[in-house]
Amino acid sequence: MSAAAALAYTPEVAKATAPIFERMSRVVPAVEWPFHAPLIHAINSLKRERNAVVLAHNYQTPEIFHGVADIVGDSLALARKAATADADVIVMAGVHFMAETAKLLNPGKIVLMPDMSAGCSLADSITGADIRLLRQRYPGVPVVTYVNTSADVKAESDICCTSGNAVQVVESLGVDRVLFLPDEYLAKYVATQTKVGIIAWKGHCEVHERFTGDQLREYRARFDGLTIIAHPECPPDVLAASDFVGSTAQMIDYVGDHRPARVLMVTECSMSDNVATGLPDVEFIRPCNLCPHMKRITLSNILESLQTMEPRVEIDPAVADRARVAVERMIAVGR
Ligand code: 13P
Ligand code: SF4
């Protein structure tokens, strides 16, 4: 029996975790709590013992997002906050490229990735060798890569970006055109927001590419007064049918600031749950597209990685030194 399976929902655990359940009771059924609470309690105790922090992306399930995360946010916030994390150990409740970014920015710290196979269809769509070929084809054109890429790809890039700062990063270079890789739809969106010429790649996010403009029009017809906000990894017809486009953090801020009576967030579906906990006056309409990679991270494997201090993310120092420059350049753009 695993250490996680041996944990029990004792009166002590129930009392210690009651305030945490309160935060997520609108989205986590009470019947599930006795399963989550012992794991949450054990993780939070072990974090203190190990001087560890858990970084969680906005797509994590509510029990991770509200139960054990110390830092939550979009990819940009996680990269920025990883750079200043005051801990010996970072546990990434996200996907592999996020853990690599955290390791690049914290070479001396232990970075744990609870499931090493939590990948990303965008990161898988391009290699360092592809970028070297593109540089031969477009000599002198700077390479901007989305953070949703491997360290190998970042090492071949001039600068990284996220969906939250892509336009700012492209414009910071002071050039007429850039290679913008690998997300084709984010590239197309950025092209609508800047005069800089954008040369794109054919990578897609397997979660966001499934939404369609027709689907959104059907939702509008069914739900009066619906506000639709979308992530720029969606296809152009989806963005055209939306009221606002932004990174996951920008979408959350939009809902918090505008308090629409009804909203549809066109992105991974756990995000609506995470936001809904704090906004009882907003009705969330949820077409549910799950990211299978994000969902590989669970309370059980977070606990196990803190117990065993494995698996650890390591990056070849020669690759890391070059990849770090691209990430640090991105972070400097926002300062
Ligand atoms: P952001 O959180 O940066 O908007 O990215 C979305 C995403 O799909 C991350 O994998
Ligand atoms: Fe990658 Fe899309 Fe999953 Fe984000 S949601 S990790 S971009 S596959």
Side-chain angles (χ1 to χ4, degrees), residues 57 59 75 94-98 118-123 146 148 183 204-209 231 233 267-268 289-294:
H57 186 263
Y59 294 162
S75 310
V95 291
H96 189 261
F97 74 80
M98 295 177 178
C120 169
S121 64
L122 281 168
Y146 201 25
N148 299 39
D183 187 344
H204 295 147
C205 162
E206 68 188 79
V207 177
H208 292 93
E209 73 176 348
H231 194 277
E233 289 170 9
T267 192
E268 213 271 354
N289 283 0
L290 281 172
C291 173
H293 311 288
M294 290 279 179

Side-chain angles (χ1 to χ4, degrees), residues 183-298:
D183 187 344
E184 182 189 12
Y185 297 144
L186 178 62
K188 284 191 168 158
Y189 173 69
V190 171
T192 66
Q193 306 294 306
T194 180
K195 291 193 167 65
V196 179
I198 304 286
I199 305 165
W201 186 250
K202 284 273 182 202
H204 295 147
C205 162
E206 68 188 79
V207 177
H208 292 93
E209 73 176 348
R210 279 189 281 146
F211 293 105
T212 66
D214 283 345
Q215 191 186 8
L216 299 196
R217 281 183 284 279
E218 274 169 35
Y219 275 102
R220 272 210 206 276
R222 262 174 64 200
F223 296 97
D224 283 344
L226 183 63
T227 297
I228 300 183
I229 62 178
H231 194 277
E233 289 170 9
C234 295
D237 66 326
V238 170
L239 302 188
S242 303
D243 300 304
F244 174 76
V245 176
S247 77
T248 56
Q250 289 162 346
M251 292 168 82
I252 292 171
D253 289 347
Y254 183 95
V255 180
D257 294 345
H258 292 77
R259 300 288 173 115
R262 274 182 169 161
V263 69
L264 191 162
M265 290 179 141
V266 192
T267 192
E268 213 271 354
C269 59
S270 286
M271 200 166 96
S272 293
D273 289 341
N274 292 333
V275 185
T277 55
L279 297 172
D281 49 330
V282 178
E283 183 188 355
F284 288 82
I285 308 297
R286 302 165 206 226
C288 200
N289 283 0
L290 281 172
C291 173
H293 311 288
M294 290 279 179
K295 268 35 195 189
R296 285 186 177 276
I297 308 303
T298 62

